[in-house]
Amino acid sequence: MLPNPMPYFQDLKDPRRETKNKLHKLSDILMIVLCAVLSGIEDWVGMEEFAEEKEAWLRGFLELPNGIPSHDTLSDVLGRIDPDMY
């Protein structure tokens, strides 16, 4: 069994503003992207499709309070994280 990667994400600052439109947890977005990439997915649309197909499995360890984020949300959030901050 592999170690849980979630603790590595806990210190990441969410780059999004606090608004009512912030529907998805940063940790959920990061785990979806990580799982998709480890499964060989290389594009944002594919990541969204992967998450939709694996939603039941993902809900076993993610909250997903507002369902699966769109490919635009995945791309936007990851694009806002400043790699020089970490």
Side-chain angles (χ1 to χ4, degrees):
M1 181 124 168
L2 296 174
N4 181 357
M6 296 284 273
Y8 295 99
F9 301 147
Q10 67 188 9
D11 292 334
L12 278 177
K13 184 177 181 285
D14 195 327
R16 300 171 291 172
R17 293 177 292 149
E18 288 297 327
T19 69
K20 64 179 181 155
N21 295 329
K22 185 174 161 184
L23 302 175
H24 303 284
K25 294 179 60 177
L26 179 61
S27 59
D28 288 353
I29 291 170
L30 295 172
M31 282 300 295
I32 287 170
V33 171
L34 177 62
C35 291
V37 168
L38 290 174
S39 297
I41 308 301
E42 296 181 350
D43 62 87
W44 301 113
V45 172
M47 291 178 195
E48 178 184 6
E49 292 170 352
F50 168 86
E52 288 171 350
E53 291 172 12
K54 303 291 186 186
E55 184 172 358
W57 175 72
L58 290 167
R59 285 187 180 277
F61 55 94
L62 300 179
E63 292 182 30
L64 301 172
N66 292 296
I68 301 298
S70 71
H71 63 276
D72 288 329
T73 297
L74 298 174
S75 172
D76 181 61
V77 172
L78 268 286
R80 289 175 185 256
I81 294 175
D82 181 0
D84 294 328
M85 294 294 292
Y86 305 98

